[in-house]
Amino acid sequence: MVRQFQLYRWLRFIFLLIAGVLIVVAPIKSFDIIIYIVSSYIAIYGILSIIDGLSIRRTTGENNIAIGLGIGALFLSLGVLFLAHFLVTLVPPVLGIVLLVNGINQYRDSHEMAKRVHVIPFLDYLYSALLVVAGIVFILNPSKTIIFIYQLFGLSLIILAFFEIINSRIYRN
């Protein structure tokens, strides 16, 4: 069981590091490759989960959730493979609308609170304006913002990869 746990950790580390570096270095060129890597990772996880579930079934004679999770992961990997392009194109406009609405609500709430406490909340107004501007940029220029978000995502994957290595060392003992 501990060996499987370590195997999953190393699998995550390799996936996170490769995907993160590809995304940060070449975000536009790497998009299709990342879809294949994510789909493959989920499929490998599903296969390992099915193998674990069958091993547990042979040992205990009982059905377990690992087989179902493995089958679900295989279906999810197919979904990622076929739906990723469509879903990614929706992210910037939807996020832009959320930011725009949040900025307007933040301004309205700050303005209402200013009437009650007789203080001008300059920082709240600045924050509201920044949210509105970010929302408009995300709505009007989705291709540039998606690349930026994608690169931030890649950077976070690299950081997570190193956390996996650190945790692997901690749990090894």
Side-chain angles (χ1 to χ4, degrees), residues 128-150:
S128 302
L130 290 174
L131 284 175
V132 168
V133 168
I136 291 170
V137 168
F138 275 48
I139 292 169
L140 296 180
N141 197 358
S143 61
K144 297 280 186 192
T145 56
I146 199 162
I147 291 170
F148 176 71
I149 292 170
Y150 192 50

Side-chain angles (χ1 to χ4, degrees), residues 107 110-111 113-115 117-126:
Y107 175 80
S110 299
H111 189 67
M113 187 58 77
K115 290 179 185 176
V117 294
H118 305 293
V119 174
I120 299 174
F122 290 112
L123 290 177
D124 283 345
Y125 289 158
L126 177 64

